[in-house]
Amino acid sequence: MLFNSAEFLLVFLPAVLLVYFLLPHRRQNAFLVVASCIFYASWDWRFLFALLFTTGIDFYCAKRMEASISNGLPQAGRRRYLYISLATNLGLLGFFKYFNFFTQSMHDLLALFGLQVPFETLDIILPIGISFYTFQALSYTIDVYRGQFHATRSFWDFFLAVLYFPHLIAGPIQRAALLLPQITHPRHPTRDQVFDGAHLMLWGFFKKVYIADNLAPIVDGNFALSSAGGGNVALGVLAFTFQIYCDFSGYTDIARGIAKIMGFEFVLNFRLPYFATNPSDFWQRWHISLSQWLRDYLYISLGGNRDGAFRTYRNLMITMLLGGIWHGAAWNFVIWGFYQGILLIGHRAVSPALSAAERTLRLHGTPLSLVLRIASMFILTCYGWLLFRASSLAQISEMTVALAHPLRGFDTGTFQKILVLISPLVIVQVIQYRTGELIFVRLPWFKPSLRAVFYGALLYAMLFLGGQPQAFVYFQF
Amino acid sequence: MKTAIRWIGLAAILMLTLEIAARLDDWYRYDADLLRPYDIETLFGPSTFGRTGVPGARFAKWRMNSMGFRGPEPVAGRPNIITFGASETFGMYESPDHEYPRILEDLLAKRGEPVNVLNAGIPGMRLGTGAAYLDDALTRTHARTVVIYPSPAHYIGVKTPYCGRPSRPVATPHGLLSQVRIAGKARNLIKGILPPGILDGLRRMSIDWEIRHESVLTRIDPISLETFRADLECAIDAVQGRDANAVLVTHATAFGDHINADDRMLLTAWRASYPDFAEEGFLDLENRANAIIRDVAMRRGLHLADAATGIPRGSEYFADFVHFTDKGARAMATLVSENIPGTSTERNPPGGG
């Protein structure tokens, strides 16, 4: 049941909201558990048991760790439970997501040395959302282990924190520490929350249905060309740059909007990422819940930037490589992670020199400098999406070589189409960037009558000008 | 009170925006007039034959030529073939230029017989009412062959033949949906996105409401079938009266010769157009009407394309209960092309007549 399906929008969501607002707090939670189970089971009910199993283990481990802390026992005593939780969650994730990838890669590696080892891949179906809910659950046990959060007494509250349907499939990755208190306390959504939630949902659907779904055929077409010219590659990558953003941020907006209407506050996942001025800035704007998770639970655990430049670079690279492979079991995601690592390291290394050069040229802090930084980072980001979207290493290599002739195969009609599709987004984001107000309809000059016109146009574009419905890109992760 | 008025005002602005967007969209995509009604009825207008195609009219994917037939302008110097029927012939769900008359023209051209296939289908047209229109079309086009594809369901509840009844211009009904464009678009959207189970439930409710004071026919009245036969003969007379060949085509449905359990929703959708005729009666109607078509073809020695048995059942070939998909239209065109007399020479049907 996709957010953009009729079943969800016309049946599931209205029914859930109606019943939810009729129930008292504790029953709301119980009802949300049932509704979320139905939502998840609409893909494959069998994976509910895997989810129940891992959350059961995490709940038990957290409880034991909490008891250990209460009894003043040393950290070593509770480490065992952390390892059990890590092994269970990462073990299942590793099996479902990476087993075939590693087996195949090992086989290929041995073949390089002339060793032919017979192997078999398994016909494994990836439980939907496993990468997201595994990280969500792990944040809970790690926080309890670190003594940063108290274990909850109610299994069902914890189960709901992991299972809650708006964020279950593709995030944002909600840490239990942020979500559990909202589950245990009564929620009284305000009128502003409901309006903001509805606005986020509409804007999210617009980005998904009008922009991302209309860009999808352009992307698919250009990435499927057997001998693409540089122009085809550039257009395909440009279209994918906006497709993936509108698809993923659209999903997040819808998820945040639904949660807001029910009185939950989700973390911000995107803050105008294509306005980033450098790689580090980009990761504070793109998939923020993942980059913060990786920073807090991986990068800092590895030592962060505490032990000199080399170790900082090493830690950055490990974090980004693992962040890359988190997205999918394929070499292009590893390369994308490597590329992001190189960008972060490179930026860290050359940043002082760049600033000095800007000062010398008297560009520091000028609008021109800002535009140049944003444009440079945008181009680097676009190339990253080429690595991300390509289906093989050979394709990455061919497309990269083709970019040497960026006008070959450049179709102005396709370019115009892309511009028409993304122009509403660009206009809105320039306003958001300049005013700093992400819920832009709150701006004083956005009078109610103008809002009605804006929502009318948005609704029309969504309902009648949308592309062929596509599954959300991040569902595969 | 003030708040309520404010909200009503905002809702009105929102609706107005949607309506303006709909009109601009039609104008940009289809070059539609911004102010006049714009729906499929734009294609048809009142005429001395009741309701016929408006020359040069356009709506969405549909285009009428200067003669008021769907399709391109005929090429001068080529013989003409007319395809005559209702919405199945006119083409509803096929991609543009994939309705069966267009494909038939292509197939005949590939066979070395370049002809103009003129699509004289008009949704809702009954054989009898169309006979005079057909006669006029033959006069104007000098067509040598007419493919007749009747819709038997149009005769449910009909007791007297339409043939010979004086016809009068039928005004094109421009309802609310064409005045308020967003309403028509919303209706199509809802039909397209509603889960089949809900749509079926709504149709059933609508049928129950319509028949609340009426009795339901479970089997086609023999008088209606005789009426169908009389009108079919009348249409053939019109064709032969102009010294042209008639090719009869039996009526094909998505159900073929039997109805599966999965077909129930499709059958309900069909019944929604004929609420007082029970679902179980449709297949019987089709079988008996097709028997009449075969009988008339044999008796009068006409060419017959047996679409009822020649086109496979199922959603691959049918977009709904009777209307073709692109693949169905191709199957239909192929079948007709195999049974059509040679366009250049043959004037007399096999076995005389």
Side-chain angles (χ1 to χ4, degrees), chain A residues 6 448 453 456 460 463-465, chain B residues 6 10 17-18 22 25 185 189 193:
Chain A
V453 171
Y460 189 85
L463 297 175
F464 301 107
L465 305 177
Chain B
R6 190 164 161 263
L10 290 175
T17 308
L18 284 168
D25 186 23
K185 285 176 187 279
L189 177 80
I193 63 169

Side-chain angles (χ1 to χ4, degrees), chain A residues 118-164:
Chain A
F119 85 108
E120 269 185 46
T121 51
L122 301 178
D123 194 12
I124 299 170
I125 303 167
L126 185 68
I128 192 157
I130 190 168
S131 305
F132 288 92
Y133 71 68
T134 298
F135 273 29
Q136 274 156 194
L138 279 180
S139 75
Y140 173 66
T141 45
I142 297 173
D143 282 351
V144 172
Y145 167 76
R146 287 174 173 175
Q148 291 171 345
F149 185 66
H150 291 293
T152 179
R153 288 179 188 171
S154 161
F155 170 74
W156 294 110
D157 283 353
F158 173 61
F159 191 53
L160 177 58
V162 177
L163 188 74
Y164 183 39

Side-chain angles (χ1 to χ4, degrees), chain A residues 280 299 305 309 312-313 316 342-352:
Chain A
S280 171
Y299 178 68
N305 57 1
T312 303
Y313 296 160
L316 275 175
I342 291 289
L343 289 185
L344 283 168
I345 293 166
H347 171 251
R348 232 182 154 86
V350 303
S351 187

Side-chain angles (χ1 to χ4, degrees), chain B residues 55-123:
Chain B
R58 290 184 297 175
F59 171 68
K61 66 181 177 186
W62 292 276
R63 298 276 182 277
M64 310 299 267
N65 64 18
S66 59
M67 304 176 87
F69 301 128
R70 183 183 177 186
E73 294 301 327
V75 177
R78 284 187 183 174
N80 294 324
I81 290 177
I82 288 176
T83 54
F84 176 68
S87 52
E88 300 93 321
T89 299
F90 186 73
M92 302 304 287
Y93 298 99
E94 304 91 335
S95 319
D97 295 331
H98 283 73
E99 61 275 15
Y100 102 77
R102 289 280 64 70
I103 302 174
L104 177 62
E105 191 175 87
D106 278 355
L107 291 175
L108 292 176
K110 281 180 189 151
R111 203 165 83 179
E113 296 174 44
V115 293
N116 296 308
V117 176
L118 304 171
N119 184 347
I122 293 179

Side-chain angles (χ1 to χ4, degrees), chain B residues 145-158:
Chain B
T145 305
V146 178
V147 180
I148 301 176
Y149 186 45
S151 293
H154 288 161
Y155 283 81
I156 294 170
V158 177

Side-chain angles (χ1 to χ4, degrees), chain A residues 247-263:
Chain A
D247 191 287
F248 192 18
S249 74
Y251 177 90
T252 304
D253 284 349
I254 298 164
R256 290 180 64 224
I258 295 170
K260 238 181 212 298
I261 290 171
M262 292 189 195

Side-chain angles (χ1 to χ4, degrees), chain A residues 70-307:
Chain A
S70 307
N71 295 333
L73 296 173
Q75 205 177 33
R78 55 184 192 267
R79 193 168 292 153
R80 171 167 40 139
Y81 294 106
L82 177 67
Y83 287 159
I84 293 172
S85 169
L86 286 171
T88 310
N89 284 287
L90 297 178
L92 273 182
L93 179 65
F95 172 74
F96 280 113
K97 195 161 177 176
Y98 302 109
F99 179 84
N100 284 340
F101 172 63
F102 283 124
T103 327
Q104 174 79 54
S105 299
M106 185 58 73
H107 176 263
D108 294 347
L109 184 69
L110 292 173
L112 275 180
F113 296 102
L115 296 169
Q116 289 299 333
V117 181
F119 85 108
E120 269 185 46
T121 51
L122 301 178
D123 194 12
I124 299 170
I125 303 167
L126 185 68
I128 192 157
I130 190 168
S131 305
F132 288 92
Y133 71 68
T134 298
F135 273 29
Q136 274 156 194
L138 279 180
S139 75
Y140 173 66
T141 45
I142 297 173
D143 282 351
V144 172
Y145 167 76
R146 287 174 173 175
Q148 291 171 345
F149 185 66
H150 291 293
T152 179
R153 288 179 188 171
S154 161
F155 170 74
W156 294 110
D157 283 353
F158 173 61
F159 191 53
L160 177 58
V162 177
L163 188 74
Y164 183 39
F165 72 88
H167 73 99
L168 173 65
I169 308 296
I173 300 168
Q174 287 297 130
R175 297 193 198 178
L178 281 172
L179 196 55
L180 264 171
Q182 299 185 55
I183 289 171
T184 50
H185 292 94
R187 297 168 294 273
H188 303 289
T190 61
R191 207 177 79 152
D192 280 353
Q193 255 182 317
V194 173
F195 282 158
D196 286 356
H199 164 79
L200 280 172
M201 283 182 69
L202 261 178
W203 183 237
F205 273 118
F206 173 76
K207 284 195 279 186
K208 164 68 182 156
V209 174
Y210 176 72
I211 304 179
D213 287 353
N214 274 316
L215 286 173
I218 299 175
V219 174
D220 296 344
N222 281 288
F223 272 81
L225 290 173
S226 52
S227 56
N232 301 116
V233 175
L235 289 174
V237 171
L238 179 69
F240 183 63
T241 299
F242 285 95
Q243 185 205 354
I244 192 163
Y245 170 66
C246 290
D247 191 287
F248 192 18
S249 74
Y251 177 90
T252 304
D253 284 349
I254 298 164
R256 290 180 64 224
I258 295 170
K260 238 181 212 298
I261 290 171
M262 292 189 195
F264 290 92
E265 286 296 336
F266 279 4
V267 291
L268 191 66
N269 218 15
F270 294 90
R271 197 188 302 113
L272 312 177
Y274 295 149
F275 284 81
T277 52
N278 59 59
S280 171
D281 188 24
F282 177 78
W283 282 104
Q284 287 168 42
R285 292 167 176 273
W286 177 270
H287 204 172
I288 301 168
S289 62
L290 174 70
S291 53
Q292 287 185 347
W293 196 101
L294 291 170
R295 181 196 66 196
D296 294 347
Y297 299 111
L298 187 60
Y299 178 68
I300 291 176
S301 301
L302 289 167
N305 57 1
R306 288 194 297 270
D307 301 313

